[in-house]
Amino acid sequence: MTWLDEASPSALRPGARPRTTLSPTVLSRDGRPFAALGTPGGDQQDQWQLLYLLRLLVGGWSPQAAIDAPAFHTTAAVSSFWPRTWEPGGVVAEARLGDAVLGELRERGHVLTVAGDWTLGRISTVGRDPGSGWLFGAANPRGQQGYAAGR
C-alpha cells in the first residue's frame, strides 16, 4: 500500500509501515468477546463490515440475514491499489437493491454501477452467545466460497 512518490506520506522508505486494508473484527459485550468477523475485499472490507454491523447491532438482524442482505460500496475514495483510480460520487450496488433504490441513488447524483445479484461482499462470522453458550456461525453465499459448520 505504499507509493513510489517520495513526496507522499505513504512513500516507500526504510522503516515505514504500510497501510493495510486488513480489518478483522472482534465484537464484545461487557468486556467479553462474543463474535469475530471478517471479509476479503481490499478497500471494500470496512464498507461491507459496516453494513453488517449496522444490520446486526442497530437493526437486530440475525448474523445470516445481515450477511445475506444486498450490499453496496463507494468508489469515491482513491483506491489503495494500482492504478489508484477513483470515481467521485461512485457507488457500486447489487441489482437486488431494486429499481426504486437504484433510481434514488442516481437522482441523488451518484455515479452508479449496478453489479449482479449476490456479487458484493464475502463476510463470514463465528461466535458464542454469552447468555446461552450456544455457538453460531454465518457465511456468505456470494461466490460460493464459504460455509458455516460446527459440532
Side-chain angles (χ1 to χ4, degrees), residues 25-28 33-38 52 56 63-64 67 123-129 134-140 147-150:
T25 301
V26 175
L27 303 178
S28 63
F34 71 89
L37 63 125
Y52 173 82
L56 180 81
Q64 191 64 57
I67 287 172
I123 291 177
S124 293
T125 185
V126 294
R128 182 178 177 271
D129 183 278
W134 282 87
L135 300 177
F136 69 85
N140 202 311
Y147 60 93

PDB file of all heavy atoms in Angstrom, residues 25-28 33-38 52 56 63-64 67 123-129 134-140 147-150:
ATOM      1  N   THR A  25     -12.363  -8.204  12.809  1.00  0.00           N
ATOM      2  CA  THR A  25     -13.143  -7.509  13.826  1.00  0.00           C
ATOM      3  C   THR A  25     -13.601  -8.484  14.902  1.00  0.00           C
ATOM      4  O   THR A  25     -14.077  -9.570  14.591  1.00  0.00           O
ATOM      5  CB  THR A  25     -14.372  -6.840  13.169  1.00  0.00           C
ATOM      6  OG1 THR A  25     -13.893  -5.933  12.172  1.00  0.00           O
ATOM      7  CG2 THR A  25     -15.209  -6.085  14.172  1.00  0.00           C
ATOM      8  N   VAL A  26     -13.470  -8.080  16.151  1.00  0.00           N
ATOM      9  CA  VAL A  26     -13.970  -8.850  17.285  1.00  0.00           C
ATOM     10  C   VAL A  26     -14.995  -7.981  18.002  1.00  0.00           C
ATOM     11  O   VAL A  26     -14.726  -6.825  18.319  1.00  0.00           O
ATOM     12  CB  VAL A  26     -12.838  -9.258  18.250  1.00  0.00           C
ATOM     13  CG1 VAL A  26     -13.396  -9.949  19.486  1.00  0.00           C
ATOM     14  CG2 VAL A  26     -11.828 -10.146  17.549  1.00  0.00           C
ATOM     15  N   LEU A  27     -16.183  -8.537  18.247  1.00  0.00           N
ATOM     16  CA  LEU A  27     -17.234  -7.828  18.970  1.00  0.00           C
ATOM     17  C   LEU A  27     -17.261  -8.302  20.409  1.00  0.00           C
ATOM     18  O   LEU A  27     -17.065  -9.491  20.673  1.00  0.00           O
ATOM     19  CB  LEU A  27     -18.591  -8.093  18.320  1.00  0.00           C
ATOM     20  CG  LEU A  27     -18.724  -7.723  16.843  1.00  0.00           C
ATOM     21  CD1 LEU A  27     -20.109  -8.101  16.333  1.00  0.00           C
ATOM     22  CD2 LEU A  27     -18.453  -6.247  16.632  1.00  0.00           C
ATOM     23  N   SER A  28     -17.502  -7.374  21.334  1.00  0.00           N
ATOM     24  CA  SER A  28     -17.573  -7.773  22.739  1.00  0.00           C
ATOM     25  C   SER A  28     -18.695  -7.022  23.439  1.00  0.00           C
ATOM     26  O   SER A  28     -19.114  -5.957  22.998  1.00  0.00           O
ATOM     27  CB  SER A  28     -16.240  -7.516  23.446  1.00  0.00           C
ATOM     28  OG  SER A  28     -15.937  -6.147  23.445  1.00  0.00           O
ATOM     29  N   PRO A  33     -15.487 -10.956  24.620  1.00  0.00           N
ATOM     30  CA  PRO A  33     -15.720 -11.175  23.193  1.00  0.00           C
ATOM     31  C   PRO A  33     -16.840 -12.177  22.963  1.00  0.00           C
ATOM     32  O   PRO A  33     -16.967 -13.155  23.699  1.00  0.00           O
ATOM     33  CB  PRO A  33     -14.391 -11.728  22.676  1.00  0.00           C
ATOM     34  CG  PRO A  33     -13.499 -11.876  23.831  1.00  0.00           C
ATOM     35  CD  PRO A  33     -14.184 -11.386  25.058  1.00  0.00           C
ATOM     36  N   PHE A  34     -17.663 -11.903  21.940  1.00  0.00           N
ATOM     37  CA  PHE A  34     -18.732 -12.851  21.619  1.00  0.00           C
ATOM     38  C   PHE A  34     -18.796 -13.192  20.143  1.00  0.00           C
ATOM     39  O   PHE A  34     -19.487 -14.125  19.762  1.00  0.00           O
ATOM     40  CB  PHE A  34     -20.098 -12.351  22.113  1.00  0.00           C
ATOM     41  CG  PHE A  34     -20.657 -11.175  21.351  1.00  0.00           C
ATOM     42  CD1 PHE A  34     -21.442 -11.360  20.219  1.00  0.00           C
ATOM     43  CD2 PHE A  34     -20.396  -9.889  21.770  1.00  0.00           C
ATOM     44  CE1 PHE A  34     -21.944 -10.275  19.522  1.00  0.00           C
ATOM     45  CE2 PHE A  34     -20.903  -8.804  21.082  1.00  0.00           C
ATOM     46  CZ  PHE A  34     -21.679  -8.997  19.952  1.00  0.00           C
ATOM     47  N   ALA A  35     -18.089 -12.470  19.291  1.00  0.00           N
ATOM     48  CA  ALA A  35     -18.109 -12.795  17.862  1.00  0.00           C
ATOM     49  C   ALA A  35     -16.868 -12.245  17.176  1.00  0.00           C
ATOM     50  O   ALA A  35     -16.294 -11.248  17.608  1.00  0.00           O
ATOM     51  CB  ALA A  35     -19.358 -12.220  17.196  1.00  0.00           C
ATOM     52  N   ALA A  36     -16.480 -12.921  16.109  1.00  0.00           N
ATOM     53  CA  ALA A  36     -15.393 -12.466  15.244  1.00  0.00           C
ATOM     54  C   ALA A  36     -15.910 -12.509  13.815  1.00  0.00           C
ATOM     55  O   ALA A  36     -16.679 -13.406  13.448  1.00  0.00           O
ATOM     56  CB  ALA A  36     -14.167 -13.359  15.400  1.00  0.00           C
ATOM     57  N   LEU A  37     -15.502 -11.528  13.025  1.00  0.00           N
ATOM     58  CA  LEU A  37     -15.933 -11.498  11.633  1.00  0.00           C
ATOM     59  C   LEU A  37     -14.848 -10.905  10.770  1.00  0.00           C
ATOM     60  O   LEU A  37     -13.926 -10.255  11.257  1.00  0.00           O
ATOM     61  CB  LEU A  37     -17.224 -10.697  11.475  1.00  0.00           C
ATOM     62  CG  LEU A  37     -17.150  -9.218  11.841  1.00  0.00           C
ATOM     63  CD1 LEU A  37     -17.616  -8.363  10.680  1.00  0.00           C
ATOM     64  CD2 LEU A  37     -18.027  -8.968  13.051  1.00  0.00           C
ATOM     65  N   GLY A  38     -14.974 -11.128   9.484  1.00  0.00           N
ATOM     66  CA  GLY A  38     -14.029 -10.566   8.541  1.00  0.00           C
ATOM     67  C   GLY A  38     -14.455 -10.863   7.120  1.00  0.00           C
ATOM     68  O   GLY A  38     -15.396 -11.628   6.881  1.00  0.00           O
ATOM     69  N   TYR A  52     -22.870  -4.847   7.661  1.00  0.00           N
ATOM     70  CA  TYR A  52     -23.169  -5.983   8.538  1.00  0.00           C
ATOM     71  C   TYR A  52     -23.403  -5.517   9.974  1.00  0.00           C
ATOM     72  O   TYR A  52     -24.390  -5.889  10.619  1.00  0.00           O
ATOM     73  CB  TYR A  52     -22.023  -7.001   8.484  1.00  0.00           C
ATOM     74  CG  TYR A  52     -22.179  -8.105   9.490  1.00  0.00           C
ATOM     75  CD1 TYR A  52     -22.989  -9.202   9.227  1.00  0.00           C
ATOM     76  CD2 TYR A  52     -21.542  -8.046  10.725  1.00  0.00           C
ATOM     77  CE1 TYR A  52     -23.156 -10.216  10.160  1.00  0.00           C
ATOM     78  CE2 TYR A  52     -21.700  -9.049  11.663  1.00  0.00           C
ATOM     79  CZ  TYR A  52     -22.508 -10.134  11.371  1.00  0.00           C
ATOM     80  OH  TYR A  52     -22.668 -11.126  12.305  1.00  0.00           O
ATOM     81  N   LEU A  56     -26.793  -5.843  12.193  1.00  0.00           N
ATOM     82  CA  LEU A  56     -26.754  -6.708  13.375  1.00  0.00           C
ATOM     83  C   LEU A  56     -27.005  -5.920  14.664  1.00  0.00           C
ATOM     84  O   LEU A  56     -27.906  -6.248  15.433  1.00  0.00           O
ATOM     85  CB  LEU A  56     -25.390  -7.407  13.452  1.00  0.00           C
ATOM     86  CG  LEU A  56     -25.185  -8.350  14.626  1.00  0.00           C
ATOM     87  CD1 LEU A  56     -25.834  -9.693  14.335  1.00  0.00           C
ATOM     88  CD2 LEU A  56     -23.699  -8.533  14.903  1.00  0.00           C
ATOM     89  N   PRO A  63     -27.197 -12.831  12.308  1.00  0.00           N
ATOM     90  CA  PRO A  63     -25.961 -12.756  11.535  1.00  0.00           C
ATOM     91  C   PRO A  63     -26.137 -13.185  10.070  1.00  0.00           C
ATOM     92  O   PRO A  63     -25.643 -12.515   9.165  1.00  0.00           O
ATOM     93  CB  PRO A  63     -25.013 -13.692  12.282  1.00  0.00           C
ATOM     94  CG  PRO A  63     -25.486 -13.609  13.700  1.00  0.00           C
ATOM     95  CD  PRO A  63     -26.992 -13.537  13.583  1.00  0.00           C
ATOM     96  N   GLN A  64     -26.868 -14.277   9.830  1.00  0.00           N
ATOM     97  CA  GLN A  64     -27.025 -14.736   8.450  1.00  0.00           C
ATOM     98  C   GLN A  64     -27.844 -13.741   7.627  1.00  0.00           C
ATOM     99  O   GLN A  64     -27.513 -13.457   6.475  1.00  0.00           O
ATOM    100  CB  GLN A  64     -27.645 -16.124   8.396  1.00  0.00           C
ATOM    101  CG  GLN A  64     -27.572 -16.745   7.003  1.00  0.00           C
ATOM    102  CD  GLN A  64     -26.135 -16.982   6.552  1.00  0.00           C
ATOM    103  OE1 GLN A  64     -25.359 -17.661   7.214  1.00  0.00           O
ATOM    104  NE2 GLN A  64     -25.752 -16.400   5.416  1.00  0.00           N
ATOM    105  N   ILE A  67     -25.713 -10.770   6.654  1.00  0.00           N
ATOM    106  CA  ILE A  67     -24.782 -11.106   5.579  1.00  0.00           C
ATOM    107  C   ILE A  67     -25.510 -11.223   4.241  1.00  0.00           C
ATOM    108  O   ILE A  67     -25.033 -10.766   3.206  1.00  0.00           O
ATOM    109  CB  ILE A  67     -24.030 -12.421   5.909  1.00  0.00           C
ATOM    110  CG1 ILE A  67     -23.011 -12.173   7.014  1.00  0.00           C
ATOM    111  CG2 ILE A  67     -23.357 -12.999   4.663  1.00  0.00           C
ATOM    112  CD1 ILE A  67     -22.351 -13.437   7.541  1.00  0.00           C
ATOM    113  N   ILE A 123     -18.367 -11.539   3.737  1.00  0.00           N
ATOM    114  CA  ILE A 123     -18.280 -11.608   5.196  1.00  0.00           C
ATOM    115  C   ILE A 123     -18.660 -12.992   5.710  1.00  0.00           C
ATOM    116  O   ILE A 123     -19.607 -13.607   5.240  1.00  0.00           O
ATOM    117  CB  ILE A 123     -19.197 -10.560   5.845  1.00  0.00           C
ATOM    118  CG1 ILE A 123     -18.642  -9.167   5.576  1.00  0.00           C
ATOM    119  CG2 ILE A 123     -19.342 -10.784   7.346  1.00  0.00           C
ATOM    120  CD1 ILE A 123     -19.498  -8.065   6.105  1.00  0.00           C
ATOM    121  N   SER A 124     -17.903 -13.436   6.696  1.00  0.00           N
ATOM    122  CA  SER A 124     -18.248 -14.620   7.480  1.00  0.00           C
ATOM    123  C   SER A 124     -18.038 -14.270   8.941  1.00  0.00           C
ATOM    124  O   SER A 124     -17.237 -13.392   9.276  1.00  0.00           O
ATOM    125  CB  SER A 124     -17.373 -15.815   7.094  1.00  0.00           C
ATOM    126  OG  SER A 124     -17.664 -16.228   5.787  1.00  0.00           O
ATOM    127  N   THR A 125     -18.763 -14.948   9.815  1.00  0.00           N
ATOM    128  CA  THR A 125     -18.655 -14.674  11.246  1.00  0.00           C
ATOM    129  C   THR A 125     -18.857 -15.948  12.055  1.00  0.00           C
ATOM    130  O   THR A 125     -19.525 -16.877  11.599  1.00  0.00           O
ATOM    131  CB  THR A 125     -19.684 -13.597  11.681  1.00  0.00           C
ATOM    132  OG1 THR A 125     -19.475 -13.275  13.055  1.00  0.00           O
ATOM    133  CG2 THR A 125     -21.109 -14.061  11.491  1.00  0.00           C
ATOM    134  N   VAL A 126     -18.247 -15.992  13.210  1.00  0.00           N
ATOM    135  CA  VAL A 126     -18.468 -17.052  14.183  1.00  0.00           C
ATOM    136  C   VAL A 126     -18.576 -16.398  15.552  1.00  0.00           C
ATOM    137  O   VAL A 126     -18.088 -15.290  15.769  1.00  0.00           O
ATOM    138  CB  VAL A 126     -17.326 -18.100  14.206  1.00  0.00           C
ATOM    139  CG1 VAL A 126     -17.280 -18.876  12.902  1.00  0.00           C
ATOM    140  CG2 VAL A 126     -15.995 -17.438  14.500  1.00  0.00           C
ATOM    141  N   GLY A 127     -19.231 -17.086  16.475  1.00  0.00           N
ATOM    142  CA  GLY A 127     -19.342 -16.508  17.807  1.00  0.00           C
ATOM    143  C   GLY A 127     -19.949 -17.453  18.807  1.00  0.00           C
ATOM    144  O   GLY A 127     -20.263 -18.606  18.502  1.00  0.00           O
ATOM    145  N   ARG A 128     -20.122 -16.916  19.997  1.00  0.00           N
ATOM    146  CA  ARG A 128     -20.694 -17.671  21.112  1.00  0.00           C
ATOM    147  C   ARG A 128     -21.650 -16.746  21.839  1.00  0.00           C
ATOM    148  O   ARG A 128     -21.261 -15.669  22.288  1.00  0.00           O
ATOM    149  CB  ARG A 128     -19.591 -18.128  22.054  1.00  0.00           C
ATOM    150  CG  ARG A 128     -20.066 -18.946  23.213  1.00  0.00           C
ATOM    151  CD  ARG A 128     -18.842 -19.388  24.045  1.00  0.00           C
ATOM    152  NE  ARG A 128     -19.261 -20.111  25.209  1.00  0.00           N
ATOM    153  CZ  ARG A 128     -19.546 -19.543  26.376  1.00  0.00           C
ATOM    154  NH1 ARG A 128     -19.447 -18.246  26.526  1.00  0.00           N
ATOM    155  NH2 ARG A 128     -19.914 -20.286  27.402  1.00  0.00           N
ATOM    156  N   ASP A 129     -22.888 -17.154  21.934  1.00  0.00           N
ATOM    157  CA  ASP A 129     -23.879 -16.369  22.653  1.00  0.00           C
ATOM    158  C   ASP A 129     -23.510 -16.361  24.140  1.00  0.00           C
ATOM    159  O   ASP A 129     -23.426 -17.421  24.760  1.00  0.00           O
ATOM    160  CB  ASP A 129     -25.275 -16.963  22.460  1.00  0.00           C
ATOM    161  CG  ASP A 129     -26.335 -16.141  23.139  1.00  0.00           C
ATOM    162  OD1 ASP A 129     -26.514 -16.313  24.375  1.00  0.00           O
ATOM    163  OD2 ASP A 129     -26.981 -15.322  22.462  1.00  0.00           O
ATOM    164  N   TRP A 134     -24.389 -21.026  23.365  1.00  0.00           N
ATOM    165  CA  TRP A 134     -24.518 -21.619  22.033  1.00  0.00           C
ATOM    166  C   TRP A 134     -23.517 -20.986  21.075  1.00  0.00           C
ATOM    167  O   TRP A 134     -23.326 -19.772  21.065  1.00  0.00           O
ATOM    168  CB  TRP A 134     -25.921 -21.415  21.480  1.00  0.00           C
ATOM    169  CG  TRP A 134     -26.925 -22.348  22.063  1.00  0.00           C
ATOM    170  CD1 TRP A 134     -27.640 -22.169  23.209  1.00  0.00           C
ATOM    171  CD2 TRP A 134     -27.308 -23.617  21.534  1.00  0.00           C
ATOM    172  NE1 TRP A 134     -28.460 -23.252  23.427  1.00  0.00           N
ATOM    173  CE2 TRP A 134     -28.277 -24.157  22.413  1.00  0.00           C
ATOM    174  CE3 TRP A 134     -26.933 -24.340  20.404  1.00  0.00           C
ATOM    175  CZ2 TRP A 134     -28.864 -25.384  22.196  1.00  0.00           C
ATOM    176  CZ3 TRP A 134     -27.515 -25.571  20.197  1.00  0.00           C
ATOM    177  CH2 TRP A 134     -28.470 -26.086  21.083  1.00  0.00           C
ATOM    178  N   LEU A 135     -22.905 -21.831  20.263  1.00  0.00           N
ATOM    179  CA  LEU A 135     -22.013 -21.356  19.213  1.00  0.00           C
ATOM    180  C   LEU A 135     -22.843 -21.028  17.985  1.00  0.00           C
ATOM    181  O   LEU A 135     -23.865 -21.658  17.726  1.00  0.00           O
ATOM    182  CB  LEU A 135     -20.986 -22.425  18.861  1.00  0.00           C
ATOM    183  CG  LEU A 135     -20.071 -22.882  19.995  1.00  0.00           C
ATOM    184  CD1 LEU A 135     -19.156 -23.995  19.496  1.00  0.00           C
ATOM    185  CD2 LEU A 135     -19.268 -21.732  20.548  1.00  0.00           C
ATOM    186  N   PHE A 136     -22.400 -20.036  17.205  1.00  0.00           N
ATOM    187  CA  PHE A 136     -23.091 -19.716  15.955  1.00  0.00           C
ATOM    188  C   PHE A 136     -22.067 -19.382  14.885  1.00  0.00           C
ATOM    189  O   PHE A 136     -20.927 -19.042  15.170  1.00  0.00           O
ATOM    190  CB  PHE A 136     -24.086 -18.561  16.128  1.00  0.00           C
ATOM    191  CG  PHE A 136     -23.460 -17.224  16.386  1.00  0.00           C
ATOM    192  CD1 PHE A 136     -23.035 -16.420  15.334  1.00  0.00           C
ATOM    193  CD2 PHE A 136     -23.284 -16.766  17.671  1.00  0.00           C
ATOM    194  CE1 PHE A 136     -22.460 -15.191  15.569  1.00  0.00           C
ATOM    195  CE2 PHE A 136     -22.713 -15.529  17.923  1.00  0.00           C
ATOM    196  CZ  PHE A 136     -22.298 -14.743  16.865  1.00  0.00           C
ATOM    197  N   GLY A 137     -22.498 -19.513  13.671  1.00  0.00           N
ATOM    198  CA  GLY A 137     -21.688 -19.129  12.529  1.00  0.00           C
ATOM    199  C   GLY A 137     -22.596 -18.729  11.388  1.00  0.00           C
ATOM    200  O   GLY A 137     -23.735 -19.192  11.299  1.00  0.00           O
ATOM    201  N   ALA A 138     -22.118 -17.834  10.567  1.00  0.00           N
ATOM    202  CA  ALA A 138     -22.849 -17.417   9.377  1.00  0.00           C
ATOM    203  C   ALA A 138     -21.824 -17.151   8.294  1.00  0.00           C
ATOM    204  O   ALA A 138     -20.749 -16.612   8.568  1.00  0.00           O
ATOM    205  CB  ALA A 138     -23.678 -16.165   9.662  1.00  0.00           C
ATOM    206  N   ALA A 139     -22.148 -17.557   7.084  1.00  0.00           N
ATOM    207  CA  ALA A 139     -21.196 -17.423   5.987  1.00  0.00           C
ATOM    208  C   ALA A 139     -21.857 -16.802   4.776  1.00  0.00           C
ATOM    209  O   ALA A 139     -23.070 -16.897   4.587  1.00  0.00           O
ATOM    210  CB  ALA A 139     -20.628 -18.796   5.612  1.00  0.00           C
ATOM    211  N   ASN A 140     -21.042 -16.196   3.965  1.00  0.00           N
ATOM    212  CA  ASN A 140     -21.522 -15.505   2.792  1.00  0.00           C
ATOM    213  C   ASN A 140     -21.703 -16.469   1.631  1.00  0.00           C
ATOM    214  O   ASN A 140     -20.764 -17.160   1.258  1.00  0.00           O
ATOM    215  CB  ASN A 140     -20.510 -14.423   2.407  1.00  0.00           C
ATOM    216  CG  ASN A 140     -21.137 -13.353   1.580  1.00  0.00           C
ATOM    217  OD1 ASN A 140     -21.819 -13.631   0.625  1.00  0.00           O
ATOM    218  ND2 ASN A 140     -20.894 -12.119   1.951  1.00  0.00           N
ATOM    219  N   TYR A 147     -18.790 -21.365   4.058  1.00  0.00           N
ATOM    220  CA  TYR A 147     -19.923 -22.024   4.693  1.00  0.00           C
ATOM    221  C   TYR A 147     -19.654 -22.042   6.203  1.00  0.00           C
ATOM    222  O   TYR A 147     -18.524 -21.920   6.647  1.00  0.00           O
ATOM    223  CB  TYR A 147     -20.137 -23.438   4.162  1.00  0.00           C
ATOM    224  CG  TYR A 147     -18.962 -24.365   4.371  1.00  0.00           C
ATOM    225  CD1 TYR A 147     -18.896 -25.174   5.498  1.00  0.00           C
ATOM    226  CD2 TYR A 147     -17.942 -24.454   3.426  1.00  0.00           C
ATOM    227  CE1 TYR A 147     -17.820 -26.014   5.697  1.00  0.00           C
ATOM    228  CE2 TYR A 147     -16.862 -25.302   3.624  1.00  0.00           C
ATOM    229  CZ  TYR A 147     -16.809 -26.071   4.755  1.00  0.00           C
ATOM    230  OH  TYR A 147     -15.753 -26.904   4.963  1.00  0.00           O
ATOM    231  N   ALA A 148     -20.713 -22.154   6.959  1.00  0.00           N
ATOM    232  CA  ALA A 148     -20.590 -22.233   8.413  1.00  0.00           C
ATOM    233  C   ALA A 148     -20.957 -23.652   8.847  1.00  0.00           C
ATOM    234  O   ALA A 148     -21.968 -24.193   8.400  1.00  0.00           O
ATOM    235  CB  ALA A 148     -21.513 -21.225   9.084  1.00  0.00           C
ATOM    236  N   ALA A 149     -20.141 -24.240   9.680  1.00  0.00           N
ATOM    237  CA  ALA A 149     -20.393 -25.586  10.186  1.00  0.00           C
ATOM    238  C   ALA A 149     -19.876 -25.665  11.612  1.00  0.00           C
ATOM    239  O   ALA A 149     -18.959 -24.925  11.984  1.00  0.00           O
ATOM    240  CB  ALA A 149     -19.711 -26.640   9.317  1.00  0.00           C
ATOM    241  N   GLY A 150     -20.433 -26.539  12.401  1.00  0.00           N
ATOM    242  CA  GLY A 150     -19.962 -26.682  13.766  1.00  0.00           C
ATOM    243  C   GLY A 150     -20.362 -28.015  14.342  1.00  0.00           C
ATOM    244  O   GLY A 150     -21.087 -28.778  13.736  1.00  0.00           O
TER     245      GLY A 150
END
